[in-house]
Amino acid sequence: QFQLMESGGGSVQAGGSLKLSCVVSKGAISTYCMGWFRQGPGKAREGVAAINSDDRASYAPAAKDRFIVSQDKAKSTLYLQMNNLEPDDSAMYYCAFEQLPPQLLPHCTANYRYVHYGPGTQVTVSS
């Protein structure tokens, strides 16, 4: 029903920056939650950031003040600007999407448990 495709991952040194993009095929759905989560080797899935259709953003503590989540509604694209990257940020990053009714939009937080997500893009940060 929904298709998501991430891009922009890569290898950088600590202190560097990367910008992830995700094209979301969601049809005419107008109220939703979109976001990013990551999973490193042997680690649990970790929410990073989210943004809803009202452009309200939410960040995990590890991402706050370093990462910026944004969307271009005309292009149906989600972004994650990551600055001052640290080795602990190394992980597979996944873009995710969920349709939400308007009354549930406040539930769109960085730790939202999505059902729909893309294949992921690898981010590796070296010290």
Side-chain angles (χ1 to χ4, degrees):
Q1 183 179 7
F2 309 115
Q3 293 185 343
L4 304 94
M5 182 58 66
E6 306 92 342
S7 61
S11 298
V12 295
Q13 290 190 326
S17 298
L18 281 174
K19 186 173 185 177
L20 306 183
S21 301
C22 176
V23 178
V24 182
S25 298
K26 55 178 177 59
I29 293 172
S30 60
T31 59
Y32 54 80
C33 179
M34 294 199 295
W36 298 89
F37 65 89
R38 65 189 184 186
Q39 188 164 20
K43 295 183 179 180
R45 189 166 90 170
E46 177 187 20
V48 176
I51 189 167
N52 67 19
S53 44
D54 286 344
D55 284 318
R56 182 167 182 168
S58 170
Y59 296 92
K64 194 172 174 61
D65 298 328
R66 295 189 300 130
F67 295 0
I68 301 172
V69 63
S70 62
Q71 61 180 324
D72 184 329
K73 292 181 180 180
K75 295 182 179 179
S76 196
T77 300
L78 177 70
Y79 302 100
L80 184 68
Q81 175 69 47
M82 303 187 295
N83 302 316
N84 194 20
L85 283 161
E86 304 168 352
D88 282 348
D89 294 318
S90 297
M92 186 71 82
Y93 282 71
Y94 299 89
C95 162
F97 173 87
E98 211 67 52
Q99 181 182 9
L100 288 180
Q103 65 270 24
L104 294 184
L105 287 179
H107 290 261
C108 181
T109 64
N111 288 319
Y112 189 85
R113 300 292 289 187
Y114 301 90
V115 173
H116 306 98
Y117 49 92
T121 186
Q122 180 68 41
V123 172
T124 303
V125 185
S126 57
S127 58

